[in-house]
């Protein structure tokens, strides 16, 4: 059964992972977000409890 021979497929898989691990991460890490993250004070509005008059 030739599909059980790992010789050609192991080389193909290792070369594909080598390409994935050497080419793709620098491209992904070089991506910069167009939105700058700024730390701002978050002001939450003061909320009041409802008065349930029908309860």
């Amino acid at each position: 059964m030739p599909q059980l021979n790992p010789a050609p497929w192991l080389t193909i898989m290792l070369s594909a992972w080598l390409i994935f691990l050497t080419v793709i991460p620098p491209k992904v890490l070089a991506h910069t977000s167009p939105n700058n993250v700024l730390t701002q004070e978050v002001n939450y509005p003061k909320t009041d409890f409802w008065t349930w008059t029908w309860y």
Side-chain angles (χ1 to χ4, degrees):
M1 296 175 65
Q3 67 266 26
L4 295 178
N5 184 6
W9 304 111
L10 183 64
T11 307
I12 292 170
M13 184 189 71
L14 291 178
S15 63
W17 274 105
L18 182 68
I19 290 170
F20 287 147
L21 292 176
T22 56
V23 173
I24 294 175
K27 290 184 181 232
V28 171
L29 292 175
H31 176 74
T32 58
S33 177
N35 298 328
N36 293 331
V37 178
L38 301 174
T39 56
Q40 296 179 350
E41 253 185 61
V42 178
N43 295 328
Y44 295 107
K46 183 172 166 55
T47 57
D48 295 328
F49 292 108
W50 286 4
T51 56
W52 299 89
T53 57
W54 58 87
Y55 181 67

